[in-house]
């Protein structure tokens, strides 16, 4: 089961609050996390991930 299964989905995309939680968990892990990986993980575009990261700063 992938991590999206447990998150709130709308039209195949995560809602913002759920996406922010997933992003925070992903970037807290050791190693490198790329924007494209976060986009694939959450089902949104890279521009959305960049916007989310700016909001989370």
């Amino acid at each position: 089961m992938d991590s999206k299964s447990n998150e709130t989905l709308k039209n195949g995309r995560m809602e913002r609050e759920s996406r922010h939680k997933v992003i925070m968990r992903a970037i807290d892990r050791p190693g490198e996390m790329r924007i494209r990986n976060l986009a694939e993980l959450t089902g949104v575009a890279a521009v959305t991930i960049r916007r989310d990261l700016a909001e989370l700063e």
Side-chain angles (χ1 to χ4, degrees):
M1 180 181 342
D2 62 83
S3 61
K4 289 197 293 187
S5 308
N6 296 329
E7 301 297 335
T8 305
L9 295 176
K10 183 175 182 179
N11 297 326
R13 300 179 318 167
M14 285 188 183
E15 293 294 320
R16 190 176 70 155
E17 184 177 322
S18 296
R19 199 170 58 241
H20 284 188
K21 289 177 186 176
V22 169
I23 290 169
M24 293 303 295
R25 283 193 301 254
I27 62 177
D28 281 343
R29 292 184 192 137
E32 188 175 274
M33 180 57 67
R34 296 186 178 270
I35 290 194
R36 72 172 170 236
N37 300 121
L38 292 170
E40 290 171 5
L41 184 65
T42 57
V44 297
V47 68
T48 303
I49 296 298
R50 288 186 184 94
R51 189 177 311 127
D52 288 344
L53 289 170
E55 289 176 14
L56 291 167
E57 272 189 317

